Amino acid sequence: MDGFAQALPQTRRARQRAADVLAVLALVLALAGAVLAVANRHGAVTPSGDSASLAGWTQILLAVPYAAAGWLLATRRPEVLFGWLALAAAAAHGLAAAFGGWAAFTVFGGHDLEGTGPALIAGGTGEALEPLVLAVTWATFPHGRFPRGWTGRAAGASVGLCAAGWLCTPLVPARPTQEPAAYMGITNPIGIDAIPGWVQAALFSSGMLLAAVVMVARWLRAAGELRRVLRWLAVVNVVAILVTPFVVALPGGQLISSVGTVVELAVVVAVVLANRVYGIEVVLNRTLVYTLLTSFVALVYAAGVAVLAALGQQVGGTSTVLAALGAAFSLAPARERLQRLVNRFLYGERDEPYTVATRVAARLETAGSVQTLLPGLLEALAGALRLPSAAVELRADDGAIRSITHGAPRTGASARFPLVHQGQDIGALVVSLRAGQNTLAPRENRLLADIARQTAVAASNVQLTEALIRSRERIVSAAEEERRRLRHDLHDGLGPTLTAAATKVDAARNLAERDATRAGNLLVSVRQDLTSALADLRRLVYALRPPVLDELGLLPALHEQLRHTAVPVTLTAPEALPPLPAAVEIAAYRIVTEAVTNVTRHARASACEVSITCTDHLHIDIRDNGTPNDDNGANGANGGAWSPGVGLTSMRERATALGGSWTAGPTPTGGRVQADLPLSLAGSTVPRPAAETTPEHDRGSPPPAHGQIPETLTGNQS
């Protein structure tokens, strides 16, 4: 095992050395080709009749990017095929530049040098390797293996056609009648006369066309991240198919057409190196725009010349100037339109914020349920802006984070936009950046900030709806549990007691004439059983609603209850309260008693203040001067946020179930619990009170208002 572990670094170093050697070889050949291209700048041509210098620079322009991309991939990711393919293409283009330049130099330089024929064969074979490299790359990108199904078979056929064309290249015989006169004496010693000259072009053309079709088909059938990755190569292929015939016809067209290959190399490097080549989006954007713009201008120029020639104007005179002017005047509007089209393809509707906002709003309107509200919004947002993924993080009351995501989340750069609703931070909108981005454009930041405001409203509605559903579930569950408890208490407690009492009464009646003493004892036992049953019945009634509320009212009931606490309690309240719904009375009573119980158990306080005020709602404020209990931490000044327990949860649920509000936590002077309860409820017999015109007192330190009587209730330890 140790030997295997040691072999891995050695293998990696060997691969890196191989990559270094191939990259240096390609650059050396390219340098030699550059020297020969300079030497061949005066009239030298290739066997095809093109400028030898321009042909050399074209090969050099391809060799250098291939070498750089191949070395970067082969050294960073040596297990990936594409780096080695790029290095092979770099060496082949360097070979074509050096040996093709050498052949032209020997023919046109006036030097009697050897090796012209082998140089032409080597240069042509090197130049012909690129279609095979591209076909393999298109077929196996980005995973390095052929796809399955008919696309895989078609991809294999495209690679086979290009391989056959490459193998035929050195075997095609020289045809003196079709080449410049300077090359007429040069023959191909390994050429086969049976191979026609058009076979090589036919094999390469059919193979490359089939490979491009396979790439586009894979892009259209893919989904998620794979679709976004394949999009670049598919677009470059489509643009190359449409544009190359026009670009090649321009002066220096072969050199210009090599830009598409450089773009493909940038895409491959960006994807293989985990999409972290920053700025690749800008490069691809500009390349697409100016490639399409060049093609458009060339089309306008050609169309203008053709129209003028059809009208009898001589080509090369005034008609050429008019066609050039027409192409020039079409440049500015065409660039603007093409830029919008490319931006829409790359970034979606980023440049149309109103459209994005409308689409998001429409998705919010058509959401069928709260479960589909945020996922639908995120789907519309990611689709409109071509984002890899989008997520909404919702923060619960206890600080827990829940994430709702659309798309496959990517490791890497992302942008976060806070979700703030009514001044409360409820979460964040998180979007993954596109491949090659490390930040969003300013216009996208502004657009997503606006979308985050809409999302915050939707997220708040989701949270409120889910809280309402959970509250209803708890209410139903609590009601059923209460029914079950009452049934058990009645069945297991009162039922047997009353049955036994009835049996004893029957026995006493039977013994009344024969044994009066035993009958009296039985009646005494019956009396005790009925007393116990009555106590159980009172306990059940008190659990449902304390009778003291109905007998005395809320304030007297609190006075009576707070007299028996272990901590002195000061109760400040009005002389009388308006009529309150029964649910509000029981909620206020339970919140006060539970809060004071928590003070007694956990706060280690020496005093407690309970303040009750009534304006447009019933406001309850309970304070203490305690310090935190290390064992519980449910109260105190310095204990940080309180951990919600049974008591705190019960108080919050009682307040929110009525549509009120509740807060609790430590303060610099002790613990504090506040609750606001409505004065009227829907369906209640208590009418809604008229609106108050007097201002509400400051709740931060409420003084005794008119009609309020502060009373200190000293605890009775009995």
Side-chain angles (χ1 to χ4, degrees):
M1 190 68 181
D2 293 339
F4 178 74
Q6 294 176 358
L8 288 178
Q10 294 177 357
T11 303
R12 188 176 186 86
R13 285 195 296 270
R15 291 178 176 178
Q16 290 179 348
R17 285 195 295 270
D20 295 339
V21 170
L22 287 175
V24 170
L25 175 62
L27 294 177
V28 169
L29 290 172
L31 180 61
V35 173
L36 292 169
V38 173
N40 293 326
R41 66 184 182 277
H42 300 298
V45 296
T46 63
S48 60
D50 298 323
S51 167
S53 178
L54 182 61
W57 288 117
T58 301
Q59 298 301 319
I60 294 168
L61 180 63
L62 291 171
V64 173
Y66 266 117
W71 179 83
L72 186 63
L73 294 177
T75 53
R76 301 287 182 86
R77 298 287 301 278
E79 72 280 2
V80 178
L81 176 66
F82 307 117
W84 304 106
L85 288 175
L87 286 174
H93 281 296
L95 194 71
F99 283 79
W102 175 261
F105 181 72
T106 58
V107 171
F108 292 93
H111 305 286
D112 186 13
L113 302 175
E114 300 293 335
T116 303
L120 287 175
I121 296 174
T125 304
E127 183 179 2
L129 183 63
E130 183 184 3
L132 177 59
V133 170
L134 291 178
V136 174
T137 301
W138 295 349
T140 60
F141 187 79
H143 302 303
R145 58 180 181 272
F146 283 88
R148 298 180 180 179
W150 71 266
T151 53
R153 293 189 292 271
S158 68
V159 173
L161 289 171
C162 291
W166 180 65
L167 293 175
C168 286
T169 300
L171 303 179
V172 175
R175 288 173 171 76
T177 58
Q178 301 176 6
E179 297 176 351
Y183 291 95
M184 292 183 61
I186 302 174
T187 61
N188 183 0
I190 61 174
I192 301 176
D193 294 335
I195 299 178
W198 54 265
V199 169
Q200 180 189 17
L203 289 173
F204 280 134
S205 299
S206 58
M208 293 298 289
L209 181 61
L210 182 58
V213 171
V214 169
M215 171 57 65
V216 174
R218 291 180 61 203
W219 168 46
L220 295 177
R221 297 179 60 187
E225 183 67 16
L226 180 60
R227 183 181 179 89
R228 286 185 288 272
V229 167
L230 293 178
R231 178 180 62 188
W232 294 113
L233 288 184
V235 170
V236 172
N237 286 334
V238 171
V239 172
I241 292 173
L242 297 176
V243 171
T244 299
F246 303 101
V247 174
V248 172
L250 298 174
Q254 291 183 343
L255 191 64
I256 298 174
S257 64
S258 62
V259 174
T261 303
V262 177
V263 175
E264 290 195 44
L265 288 174
V267 173
V268 173
V269 171
V271 174
V272 173
L273 297 183
N275 297 326
R276 301 320 306 158
V277 179
Y278 297 121
I280 190 65
E281 290 271 326
V282 177
V283 174
L284 294 174
N285 187 312
R286 298 294 184 267
T287 302
L288 288 176
V289 169
Y290 288 112
T291 301
L292 293 174
L293 190 61
T294 301
S295 305
F296 178 79
V297 172
L299 284 174
V300 171
Y301 177 77
V305 171
V307 170
L308 293 174
L311 296 176
Q313 298 293 328
Q314 182 179 3
V315 178
T318 307
S319 61
T320 306
V321 176
L322 293 176
L325 288 175
F329 281 115
S330 68
L331 186 63
R335 183 191 181 283
E336 183 178 352
R337 290 181 177 272
L338 288 174
Q339 186 69 67
R340 284 203 301 266
L341 288 174
V342 172
N343 285 350
R344 187 180 182 88
F345 176 77
L346 295 179
Y347 313 119
E349 296 165 334
R350 180 191 70 177
D351 298 333
E352 303 172 18
Y354 179 77
T355 303
V356 178
T358 302
R359 180 177 296 187
V360 172
R363 185 57 66 93
L364 291 176
E365 293 175 357
T366 58
S369 64
V370 67
Q371 289 80 11
T372 61
L373 181 62
L374 290 179
L377 183 150
L378 295 174
E379 180 183 0
L381 180 63
L385 297 180
R386 301 286 196 273
L387 297 171
S389 67
V392 169
E393 295 179 353
L394 296 178
R395 183 177 296 104
D397 293 337
D398 58 357
I401 300 296
R402 178 167 63 97
S403 180
I404 301 173
T405 305
H406 173 77
R410 295 172 51 191
T411 58
S414 62
R416 300 175 64 88
F417 300 88
L419 300 180
V420 180
H421 182 64
Q422 295 182 348
Q424 182 180 3
D425 187 357
I426 62 174
L429 173 65
V430 184
V431 297
S432 296
L433 302 187
R434 305 176 190 91
Q437 283 186 318
N438 61 351
T439 184
L440 291 173
R443 66 179 66 182
E444 284 185 302
N445 278 315
R446 291 192 297 269
L447 174 60
L448 286 172
D450 293 336
I451 296 297
R453 297 187 182 96
Q454 299 184 47
T455 307
V457 177
S460 178
N461 291 337
V462 169
Q463 287 183 320
L464 291 176
T465 303
E466 292 177 344
L468 178 60
I469 293 173
R470 290 193 299 268
S471 178
R472 288 175 176 174
E473 292 174 351
R474 285 193 295 266
I475 290 173
V476 172
S477 177
E480 291 301 322
E481 291 295 330
E482 188 66 16
R483 290 191 183 98
R484 179 183 299 177
R485 185 185 67 82
L486 289 174
R487 177 182 177 277
H488 287 169
D489 288 347
L490 293 174
H491 181 272
D492 300 338
L494 287 177
T497 300
L498 295 177
T499 300
T503 302
K504 291 177 181 179
V505 168
D506 291 339
R509 185 184 61 184
N510 295 333
L511 293 173
E513 296 180 357
R514 293 178 299 170
D515 191 345
T517 303
R518 291 183 59 191
N521 293 335
L522 286 174
L523 292 176
V524 171
S525 178
V526 170
R527 171 66 180 175
Q528 294 174 347
D529 291 342
L530 293 177
T531 302
S532 176
L534 183 60
D536 289 341
L537 185 60
R538 287 175 176 171
R539 178 179 56 82
L540 293 176
V541 171
Y542 183 85
L544 295 176
R545 177 178 172 85
V548 68
L549 285 176
D550 296 324
E551 297 170 359
L552 303 177
L554 176 59
L555 293 180
L558 288 175
H559 279 83
E560 184 64 25
Q561 177 67 23
L562 298 179
R563 292 182 186 276
H564 304 285
T565 59
V567 177
V569 179
T570 300
L571 176 62
T572 303
E575 293 181 354
L577 293 174
L580 298 175
V584 175
E585 283 188 333
I586 186 62
Y589 183 82
R590 295 296 191 194
I591 289 174
V592 171
T593 55
E594 182 64 36
V596 173
T597 300
N598 280 348
V599 171
T600 303
R601 292 179 178 176
H602 308 303
R604 296 189 290 188
S606 60
C608 178
E609 298 178 4
V610 177
S611 173
I612 299 177
T613 58
C614 183
T615 53
D616 56 343
H617 55 269
L618 186 67
H619 179 66
I620 302 171
D621 192 349
I622 302 102
R623 303 187 189 188
D624 65 76
N625 62 350
T627 57
N629 188 327
D630 295 337
D631 296 332
N632 190 293
N635 202 351
N638 304 316
W642 291 350
S643 300
V646 176
L648 295 178
T649 302
S650 174
M651 287 187 281
R652 183 183 71 246
E653 290 180 351
R654 287 184 183 276
T656 56
L658 299 178
S661 61
W662 175 90
T663 58
T667 68
T669 58
R672 187 177 187 182
V673 174
Q674 295 184 91
D676 287 321
L677 304 177
L679 299 181
S680 180
L681 299 175
S684 172
T685 58
V686 178
R688 188 176 298 275
E692 296 285 347
T693 58
T694 57
E696 184 179 349
H697 290 290
D698 181 12
R699 296 177 189 167
S701 56
H706 176 70
Q708 289 185 326
I709 302 175
E711 180 182 356
T712 301
L713 307 173
T714 304
N716 187 350
Q717 304 295 333
S718 60

